[in-house]
Amino acid sequence: MELHSRGTHVIPLRLFALFIFAIWLSCAPAQAEKRVALVIGNSAYKSALKLGNPVNDATLVGGMFKLAGFDAVDVRLDLNASDMRRALREFAGRTRDADVAVVYYAGHGIELDGNNYLIPTDAALESDGDVLDETIPVERVQFAVEPAKQLRLIILDACRDNPFAKTMKRTLASRAIGRGLAKVEPTSPNTMIAFAAKAGSTASDGDTRNSPFATAIAEHLPKPGLDLRKAFGFVRDDVLKRTGYKQEPFVYGSLGGDDVPLVAAKPAVTGPQANPQDAIRRDYELALQLATRDGWEAFLAQYPDGFYANLAKGQLNKIAAEETRASAEQRAKAAEQEKARLVAERAQKAEQDKATAAARAAEEARIAAEKQKQIEQARTEAAEQQRKVAEAAAAKALAEKQAAEKAKAELAARQAAEKVEQAAKPTADRQMPAADQKVAALSPAPTSTLSAADLTKSVQSELRRVGCLSTAADGDWSAASQRSLTLFNKYAGTQFDAKLASVDALDALKAKPGRVCPLVCNFGFKADGDQCVKIACRPGYRVGDDNECEKIQEKKPVATREESRRRDEDRKRSDAAAPAPQASGQIICNNGGCRPVAKGCRLGSVPNANGSLKITGEVCN
């Protein structure tokens, strides 16, 4: 603010325009809640038989979260113990500013003394004591989702029949290893833990590509506006029916009285209406799953014309070709049986020739029908490919239309702000002193466009703010800047071209209130908020290869090679050194070397060891 000469306060023109624009923005819809998810699927166990479905289940559920509009979905497959700890540590950092945090795990789990543990792919579990060292406790997962503000959800498809529990050794006979997982009671509010099977029972891996529990989860949880308690109730009913009432999912924890949907209810449509072809496409895909004549005829009765009607007619032609082939094959088989009957009854040659001709004709008809079926199948596959291309083009056109509408709305907002600024300008000019008006007249008007260098610097500055760029914003769109925009695309779910800095990328970056890319620290440091702090281990411990504190192993002192060599040289010198001369002056030599004659002794003749010869030796009194 500035003080007028008459004592009144004058608001600068730009500040006044920004104030009006902020009031306009406050009337816009509130920003949607932030939802993050971590999905883990372990199938390739090294010390047990490979599980068929966890990887498929994790892929299905991760795709479900992405389609549900989650802000960040991290899908990890076949993780060892170190990778699981790292994934949970990174996810805990993302949940600090999240409203909803979800962890889904599919794989083996084990219960020991009433506590539940998730089993990584490299676990051996030769004894019950290895459980504490080689597995991940469920409490570690609860710690990862704890910072979420509104909802914490843990889904455990880990109640399968565990092979480790049958082979591991027991160090204590009283130690209990349960069947399935043990009951849990979350201590944090608004926390739910869902088991694929009730505590103390096991779950089915399923005979199809996905387990019954994962299939029901992907079907019911993403329904807009459906309360989680109802959604898991529907999941329970579906799993009971699909498993012949042998497997009953169960949910632990509690929520408040308000509905808590995983996906918010869709608001009333006020903008462009949905594509009418979407309903036809859904009905077509349903008929495609049925793959029966009745299904396609019902579809054509509902939609007799159009692109999908032509595809349905092609599917009917394919079914007709298959029916013709089957009929021809039946006739050929009947003709062969008739021929065999005539031969067995010694029929006349004419009748046999007639039956042979009929069998040949039937075989030719079967071959022709088989070829026709292959032709129709090829046509159907080509039509399906064209359908997918057309749908992709329609989706692209819809996205471009939405982007154009968004740009149009932003342009309208900018124009409204400029109109407000122009309307406020005369009033401000009247209140400003004459000298200030002259200065304002000399100041250039702000430009609404950015040069390429300014745009590049702005994008680099925003990338630094959201934690994706560590270098300075120098206006040079280098390989480091391209990698940082690629990281932003990965963690923000966008698809901007990383080869150049664009206005759309700048707008998307400015829309992010905080860090997007995870903080990566060097060895010996860990992430604490937006900073890397050094890991401090207590005495007797040090930072290990997995960036965790581990106990220091004591090593016995070992003599170095240089010390051993020096001792050997000293021994050789002492052995080779000449003996000190004695007073007698006589020296005796043998195979062991030479030495002075002992005091009181002299050299003389002495018998050898056999007593047959005399040799020179020491003669002592």
Side-chain angles (χ1 to χ4, degrees):
M1 288 194 177
E2 298 178 0
L3 187 62
H4 195 272
S5 58
R6 288 174 293 181
T8 59
H9 291 283
V10 179
I11 301 177
L13 181 60
R14 292 184 181 179
L15 183 59
F16 179 78
L18 289 176
F19 176 72
I20 298 299
F21 188 62
I23 295 176
W24 178 80
L25 285 179
S26 65
C27 299
Q31 188 177 8
E33 62 184 13
K34 181 176 180 181
R35 298 172 296 169
V36 294
L38 172 63
V39 180
I40 301 175
N42 285 345
S43 288
Y45 283 93
K46 298 178 181 179
S47 301
L49 292 177
K50 181 178 179 180
L51 290 174
N53 283 345
V55 168
N56 300 333
D57 294 341
T59 304
L60 174 67
V61 175
M64 178 267 291
F65 285 134
K66 292 178 182 178
L67 292 176
F70 270 59
D71 298 276
V73 180
D74 190 6
V75 180
R76 303 290 187 92
L77 304 177
D78 292 329
L79 300 184
N80 56 30
S82 178
D83 291 338
M84 285 187 69
R85 294 190 184 96
R86 185 178 298 107
L88 289 170
R89 183 166 59 248
E90 295 173 356
F91 183 69
R94 286 194 292 273
T95 59
R96 291 180 180 175
D97 59 346
D99 299 288
V100 177
V102 184
V103 173
Y104 172 85
Y105 171 80
H108 276 312
I110 191 172
E111 180 261 321
L112 178 67
D113 286 342
N115 297 315
N116 298 319
Y117 301 89
L118 308 182
I119 304 179
T121 56
D122 60 345
L125 300 185
E126 296 179 354
S127 68
D128 51 5
D130 296 336
V131 173
L132 303 178
D133 297 326
E134 300 178 4
T135 62
I136 308 298
V138 173
E139 286 81 0
R140 181 66 181 85
V141 183
Q142 293 179 251
F143 180 82
V145 301
E146 184 72 23
K149 302 178 183 66
Q150 296 181 8
L151 174 64
R152 308 164 189 89
L153 176 60
I154 301 173
I155 305 173
L156 299 180
D157 194 357
C159 308
R160 295 168 174 83
D161 190 12
N162 184 8
F164 296 99
K166 301 175 183 178
T167 58
M168 68 171 54
K169 300 177 182 178
R170 270 57 164 189
T171 56
L172 290 176
S174 59
R175 180 163 291 158
I177 298 178
R179 184 171 180 264
L181 297 181
K183 178 181 178 181
V184 294
E185 291 295 342
T187 57
S188 300
N190 296 329
T191 301
M192 294 183 69
I193 301 178
F195 283 4
K198 195 173 182 180
S201 59
T202 58
S204 171
D205 201 29
D207 299 327
T208 59
R209 176 178 175 82
N210 296 105
S211 69
F213 184 64
T215 303
I217 286 289
E219 180 179 353
H220 294 292
L221 258 65
K223 291 181 179 178
L226 181 62
D227 182 62
L228 272 180
R229 288 158 288 203
K230 276 192 175 182
F232 278 110
F234 292 144
V235 169
R236 170 191 173 274
D237 295 342
D238 283 1
V239 174
L240 281 173
K241 292 177 182 178
R242 292 175 184 174
T243 59
Y245 294 89
K246 296 179 181 178
Q247 177 182 338
E248 179 185 5
F250 212 82
V251 177
Y252 300 92
S254 63
L255 301 177
D258 296 334
D259 286 350
V260 183
L262 193 64
V263 179
K266 294 183 179 179
V269 178
T270 57
Q273 299 298 317
N275 188 355
Q277 293 288 323
D278 290 344
I280 304 177
R281 177 178 58 81
R282 287 193 295 270
D283 292 343
Y284 175 86
E285 291 175 349
L286 178 60
L288 189 63
Q289 292 178 358
L290 293 175
T292 61
R293 176 179 289 276
D294 294 337
W296 290 119
E297 289 177 350
F299 178 85
L300 286 173
Q302 181 71 21
Y303 310 106
D305 300 313
F307 174 69
Y308 287 94
N310 294 333
L311 295 178
K313 291 174 183 177
Q315 294 287 349
L316 272 178
N317 292 338
K318 176 182 174 183
I319 293 175
E322 172 62 21
E323 291 173 352
T324 303
R325 184 199 65 79
S327 177
E329 187 174 4
Q330 266 189 339
R331 289 197 298 270
K333 188 179 295 184
E336 285 292 335
Q337 292 175 353
E338 182 65 15
K339 176 183 175 182
R341 185 185 67 79
L342 291 175
V343 171
E345 295 178 357
R346 298 180 181 180
Q348 296 295 330
K349 186 177 181 301
E351 293 179 355
Q352 292 180 3
D353 292 342
K354 182 179 178 181
T356 302
R360 188 181 301 112
E363 179 63 20
E364 291 175 355
R366 185 190 66 80
I367 294 174
E370 183 71 27
K371 291 182 179 178
Q372 184 64 27
K373 176 196 171 184
Q374 294 175 357
I375 293 173
E376 292 298 336
Q377 184 173 0
R379 289 177 180 173
T380 303
E381 291 176 355
E384 278 297 307
Q385 185 64 27
Q386 292 177 359
R387 176 181 74 87
K388 293 179 181 177
V389 172
E391 290 178 354
K396 182 179 179 181
L398 180 60
E400 292 176 352
K401 181 179 179 182
Q402 292 176 349
E405 291 176 352
K406 178 182 177 182
K408 185 177 179 181
E410 292 176 353
L411 178 60
R414 260 196 312 271
Q415 291 176 349
E418 291 175 357
K419 287 182 180 179
V420 171
E421 182 178 357
Q422 292 296 332
K425 184 175 180 180
T427 303
D429 289 342
R430 285 195 299 269
Q431 295 176 350
M432 291 174 61
D436 292 344
Q437 291 180 5
K438 292 180 180 180
V439 173
L442 293 176
S443 300
T447 59
S448 60
T449 59
L450 294 175
S451 65
D454 293 338
L455 177 60
T456 301
K457 284 186 178 181
S458 299
V459 173
Q460 288 175 335
S461 300
E462 291 298 324
L463 286 172
R464 284 178 56 86
R465 183 181 63 81
V466 298
C468 298
L469 179 65
S470 57
T471 60
D474 54 1
D476 180 16
W477 194 252
S478 59
S481 300
Q482 296 177 15
R483 285 194 299 271
S484 66
L485 185 54
T486 302
L487 282 175
F488 177 79
N489 285 336
K490 175 181 178 183
Y491 291 103
T494 57
Q495 296 181 352
F496 297 114
D497 186 4
K499 295 182 180 179
L500 50 87
S502 63
V503 177
D504 292 340
L506 180 60
D507 293 340
L509 285 163
K510 289 181 176 180
K512 298 298 180 182
R515 173 178 289 276
V516 174
C517 297
L519 180 61
V520 179
C521 299
N522 294 329
F523 178 78
F525 292 80
K526 64 180 180 180
D528 185 8
D530 290 336
Q531 296 181 348
C532 291
V533 298
K534 189 174 182 180
I535 299 175
C537 298
R538 63 178 186 268
Y541 286 77
R542 65 180 178 185
V543 179
D545 295 337
D546 60 350
N547 221 31
E548 299 285 347
C549 291
E550 62 179 17
K551 190 172 183 180
I552 301 175
Q553 301 294 333
E554 296 183 358
K555 296 183 179 180
K556 296 182 179 180
V558 180
T560 62
R561 184 178 298 177
E562 182 65 24
E563 293 174 348
S564 301
R565 185 182 62 79
R566 191 180 298 112
R567 285 199 300 269
D568 293 341
E569 290 179 355
D570 293 343
R571 188 182 299 109
K572 289 180 181 178
R573 282 196 299 268
S574 62
D575 292 343
Q582 302 293 324
S584 64
Q586 293 181 328
I587 296 175
I588 183 171
C589 296
N590 53 25
N591 294 334
C594 296
R595 61 179 177 80
V597 175
K599 186 176 181 181
C601 299
R602 60 182 175 81
L603 294 177
S605 297
V606 296
N608 63 357
N610 297 330
S612 57
L613 296 175
K614 294 285 189 174
I615 61 174
T616 301
E618 276 186 314
V619 179
C620 299
N621 295 332

